Short mmCIF file of all heavy atoms in Angstrom, two decimals:
data_model
loop_
_atom_site.label_atom_id
_atom_site.label_comp_id
_atom_site.label_asym_id
_atom_site.label_seq_id
_atom_site.Cartn_x
_atom_site.Cartn_y
_atom_site.Cartn_z
N HIS A 90 8.95 -16.95 -12.55
CA HIS A 90 10.36 -17.20 -12.75
C HIS A 90 10.57 -18.68 -12.99
O HIS A 90 10.17 -19.50 -12.15
CB HIS A 90 11.17 -16.68 -11.58
CG HIS A 90 12.60 -17.18 -11.62
ND1 HIS A 90 13.05 -18.20 -10.85
CD2 HIS A 90 13.66 -16.74 -12.35
CE1 HIS A 90 14.36 -18.42 -11.12
NE2 HIS A 90 14.75 -17.53 -12.03
N VAL A 91 11.20 -19.03 -14.09
CA VAL A 91 11.55 -20.41 -14.36
C VAL A 91 12.94 -20.48 -15.00
O VAL A 91 13.16 -19.86 -16.03
CB VAL A 91 10.52 -21.09 -15.31
CG1 VAL A 91 10.89 -22.54 -15.59
CG2 VAL A 91 9.11 -21.01 -14.76
N LYS A 92 13.83 -21.19 -14.39
CA LYS A 92 15.13 -21.51 -14.95
C LYS A 92 15.90 -20.30 -15.46
O LYS A 92 16.27 -20.20 -16.67
CB LYS A 92 14.94 -22.52 -16.08
CG LYS A 92 16.19 -23.36 -16.43
CD LYS A 92 16.59 -24.36 -15.37
CE LYS A 92 17.76 -25.22 -15.75
NZ LYS A 92 18.20 -26.14 -14.76
N GLY A 93 16.10 -19.26 -14.62
CA GLY A 93 16.87 -18.13 -15.00
C GLY A 93 16.23 -17.13 -15.88
O GLY A 93 16.91 -16.22 -16.44
N ALA A 94 14.88 -17.20 -16.01
CA ALA A 94 14.16 -16.18 -16.84
C ALA A 94 12.84 -15.88 -16.20
O ALA A 94 12.25 -16.69 -15.44
CB ALA A 94 13.99 -16.69 -18.25
N ILE A 95 12.34 -14.72 -16.48
CA ILE A 95 11.00 -14.27 -15.92
C ILE A 95 10.08 -14.12 -17.11
O ILE A 95 10.43 -13.54 -18.15
CB ILE A 95 11.14 -12.93 -15.15
CG1 ILE A 95 12.10 -13.09 -13.99
CG2 ILE A 95 9.80 -12.47 -14.68
CD1 ILE A 95 12.37 -11.81 -13.23
N TYR A 96 8.90 -14.67 -16.95
CA TYR A 96 7.89 -14.69 -18.04
C TYR A 96 6.73 -13.76 -17.66
O TYR A 96 6.16 -13.87 -16.58
CB TYR A 96 7.40 -16.11 -18.31
CG TYR A 96 8.51 -17.01 -18.82
CD1 TYR A 96 9.38 -17.60 -17.91
CD2 TYR A 96 8.66 -17.26 -20.19
CE1 TYR A 96 10.41 -18.43 -18.38
CE2 TYR A 96 9.67 -18.07 -20.65
CZ TYR A 96 10.56 -18.62 -19.75
OH TYR A 96 11.54 -19.45 -20.20
N TRP A 97 6.34 -12.91 -18.62
CA TRP A 97 5.24 -11.96 -18.41
C TRP A 97 4.18 -12.18 -19.48
O TRP A 97 4.43 -12.54 -20.60
CB TRP A 97 5.75 -10.54 -18.54
CG TRP A 97 6.93 -10.20 -17.69
CD1 TRP A 97 8.20 -10.60 -17.93
CD2 TRP A 97 6.95 -9.41 -16.52
NE1 TRP A 97 9.03 -10.10 -16.96
CE2 TRP A 97 8.29 -9.34 -16.10
CE3 TRP A 97 5.98 -8.71 -15.79
CZ2 TRP A 97 8.69 -8.68 -14.98
CZ3 TRP A 97 6.33 -8.04 -14.64
CH2 TRP A 97 7.69 -7.99 -14.24
N MET A 98 2.95 -11.87 -19.11
CA MET A 98 1.86 -11.85 -20.11
C MET A 98 1.72 -10.41 -20.71
O MET A 98 1.87 -9.43 -19.99
CB MET A 98 0.53 -12.29 -19.49
CG MET A 98 0.43 -13.76 -19.23
SD MET A 98 -1.23 -14.34 -18.90
CE MET A 98 -1.55 -13.65 -17.29
N VAL A 99 1.48 -10.36 -22.00
CA VAL A 99 1.33 -9.08 -22.67
C VAL A 99 -0.11 -8.59 -22.40
O VAL A 99 -1.09 -9.38 -22.37
CB VAL A 99 1.51 -9.21 -24.18
CG1 VAL A 99 1.29 -7.95 -24.94
CG2 VAL A 99 2.94 -9.73 -24.47
N PHE A 100 -0.28 -7.27 -22.23
CA PHE A 100 -1.62 -6.75 -22.07
C PHE A 100 -1.86 -5.56 -22.98
O PHE A 100 -0.98 -4.91 -23.47
CB PHE A 100 -1.97 -6.48 -20.63
CG PHE A 100 -1.36 -5.20 -20.04
CD1 PHE A 100 -2.08 -4.07 -19.94
CD2 PHE A 100 -0.03 -5.22 -19.60
CE1 PHE A 100 -1.53 -2.89 -19.39
CE2 PHE A 100 0.53 -4.09 -19.07
CZ PHE A 100 -0.22 -2.93 -18.97
N ARG A 101 -3.15 -5.24 -23.15
CA ARG A 101 -3.59 -4.21 -24.11
C ARG A 101 -3.44 -2.81 -23.55
O ARG A 101 -3.81 -2.57 -22.42
CB ARG A 101 -5.03 -4.51 -24.51
CG ARG A 101 -5.57 -3.64 -25.65
CD ARG A 101 -6.98 -3.99 -25.98
NE ARG A 101 -7.03 -5.32 -26.67
CZ ARG A 101 -7.48 -6.41 -26.04
NH1 ARG A 101 -7.89 -6.34 -24.76
NH2 ARG A 101 -7.51 -7.53 -26.71
N THR A 102 -2.90 -1.90 -24.37
CA THR A 102 -2.85 -0.48 -23.98
C THR A 102 -3.23 0.34 -25.20
O THR A 102 -3.49 -0.22 -26.30
CB THR A 102 -1.43 -0.09 -23.55
OG1 THR A 102 -0.54 -0.21 -24.67
CG2 THR A 102 -0.92 -0.94 -22.39
N SER A 103 -3.31 1.64 -25.03
CA SER A 103 -3.67 2.53 -26.15
C SER A 103 -2.60 2.48 -27.25
O SER A 103 -2.91 2.64 -28.45
CB SER A 103 -3.83 3.96 -25.66
OG SER A 103 -2.66 4.37 -24.98
N LEU A 104 -1.33 2.27 -26.84
CA LEU A 104 -0.24 2.18 -27.82
C LEU A 104 -0.20 0.80 -28.51
O LEU A 104 0.37 0.66 -29.58
CB LEU A 104 1.09 2.45 -27.17
CG LEU A 104 1.49 3.93 -26.94
CD1 LEU A 104 2.82 4.03 -26.25
CD2 LEU A 104 1.51 4.69 -28.28
N CYS A 105 -0.79 -0.18 -27.87
CA CYS A 105 -0.83 -1.54 -28.38
C CYS A 105 -2.20 -2.13 -28.18
O CYS A 105 -2.41 -2.98 -27.33
CB CYS A 105 0.25 -2.38 -27.68
SG CYS A 105 0.52 -4.02 -28.44
N PRO A 106 -3.20 -1.67 -29.02
CA PRO A 106 -4.59 -2.11 -28.81
C PRO A 106 -4.84 -3.55 -29.17
O PRO A 106 -5.83 -4.15 -28.73
CB PRO A 106 -5.38 -1.15 -29.72
CG PRO A 106 -4.40 -0.75 -30.77
CD PRO A 106 -3.05 -0.68 -30.13
N ASP A 107 -3.99 -4.12 -29.99
CA ASP A 107 -4.19 -5.53 -30.42
C ASP A 107 -2.89 -6.30 -30.23
O ASP A 107 -2.19 -6.66 -31.25
CB ASP A 107 -4.65 -5.58 -31.87
CG ASP A 107 -5.09 -6.97 -32.31
OD1 ASP A 107 -5.42 -7.78 -31.45
OD2 ASP A 107 -5.06 -7.23 -33.52
N PRO A 108 -2.50 -6.64 -29.01
CA PRO A 108 -1.24 -7.28 -28.75
C PRO A 108 -1.25 -8.74 -29.26
O PRO A 108 -2.34 -9.37 -29.30
CB PRO A 108 -1.05 -7.21 -27.26
CG PRO A 108 -2.46 -7.15 -26.74
CD PRO A 108 -3.24 -6.37 -27.77
N PRO A 109 -0.11 -9.32 -29.61
CA PRO A 109 -0.11 -10.70 -30.07
C PRO A 109 -0.28 -11.68 -28.88
O PRO A 109 -0.06 -11.31 -27.73
CB PRO A 109 1.29 -10.85 -30.67
CG PRO A 109 2.11 -9.86 -29.91
CD PRO A 109 1.19 -8.67 -29.63
N ASN A 110 -0.72 -12.87 -29.24
CA ASN A 110 -0.85 -13.89 -28.20
C ASN A 110 0.46 -14.60 -27.95
O ASN A 110 0.73 -15.67 -28.44
CB ASN A 110 -1.91 -14.94 -28.65
CG ASN A 110 -3.35 -14.35 -28.71
OD1 ASN A 110 -3.68 -13.55 -27.85
ND2 ASN A 110 -4.04 -14.65 -29.75
N THR A 111 1.28 -13.88 -27.21
CA THR A 111 2.63 -14.41 -26.89
C THR A 111 3.01 -14.01 -25.49
O THR A 111 2.40 -13.13 -24.87
CB THR A 111 3.66 -13.88 -27.92
OG1 THR A 111 4.95 -14.47 -27.65
CG2 THR A 111 3.79 -12.36 -27.76
N LEU A 112 4.00 -14.67 -24.95
CA LEU A 112 4.59 -14.28 -23.66
C LEU A 112 5.89 -13.54 -23.91
O LEU A 112 6.56 -13.75 -24.94
CB LEU A 112 4.87 -15.51 -22.77
CG LEU A 112 3.77 -16.45 -22.45
CD1 LEU A 112 4.21 -17.67 -21.69
CD2 LEU A 112 2.64 -15.71 -21.74
N VAL A 113 6.23 -12.65 -22.96
CA VAL A 113 7.51 -11.91 -23.06
C VAL A 113 8.45 -12.53 -22.03
O VAL A 113 8.12 -12.64 -20.88
CB VAL A 113 7.28 -10.42 -22.75
CG1 VAL A 113 8.69 -9.73 -22.66
CG2 VAL A 113 6.48 -9.78 -23.89
N ARG A 114 9.63 -12.96 -22.53
CA ARG A 114 10.59 -13.61 -21.69
C ARG A 114 11.79 -12.71 -21.44
O ARG A 114 12.32 -12.08 -22.36
CB ARG A 114 11.11 -14.90 -22.36
CG ARG A 114 12.21 -15.66 -21.58
CD ARG A 114 12.67 -16.88 -22.41
NE ARG A 114 13.63 -17.69 -21.70
CZ ARG A 114 14.97 -17.49 -21.77
NH1 ARG A 114 15.45 -16.50 -22.46
NH2 ARG A 114 15.76 -18.27 -21.08
N PHE A 115 12.13 -12.50 -20.20
CA PHE A 115 13.30 -11.67 -19.80
C PHE A 115 14.38 -12.54 -19.20
O PHE A 115 14.16 -13.11 -18.17
CB PHE A 115 12.89 -10.57 -18.81
CG PHE A 115 14.03 -9.67 -18.43
CD1 PHE A 115 14.56 -8.70 -19.27
CD2 PHE A 115 14.60 -9.78 -17.15
CE1 PHE A 115 15.59 -7.87 -18.95
CE2 PHE A 115 15.63 -8.95 -16.76
CZ PHE A 115 16.16 -8.01 -17.68
N CYS A 116 15.51 -12.69 -19.87
CA CYS A 116 16.59 -13.48 -19.40
C CYS A 116 17.36 -12.72 -18.34
O CYS A 116 17.84 -11.58 -18.60
CB CYS A 116 17.52 -13.85 -20.59
SG CYS A 116 18.95 -14.81 -20.09
N LEU A 117 17.60 -13.31 -17.19
CA LEU A 117 18.27 -12.64 -16.10
C LEU A 117 19.78 -12.64 -16.28
O LEU A 117 20.49 -11.90 -15.63
CB LEU A 117 17.95 -13.36 -14.76
CG LEU A 117 16.50 -13.18 -14.30
CD1 LEU A 117 16.22 -14.04 -13.07
CD2 LEU A 117 16.18 -11.69 -13.96
#
Side-chain angles (χ1 to χ4, degrees):
H90 170 258
V91 181
K92 202 69 176 179
I95 300 177
Y96 296 82
W97 308 74
M98 287 195 289
V99 178
F100 76 100
R101 187 178 291 106
T102 66
S103 56
L104 279 178
C105 188
D107 189 23
N110 293 320
T111 184
L112 302 177
V113 172
R114 178 183 184 270
F115 180 73
C116 178
L117 292 172

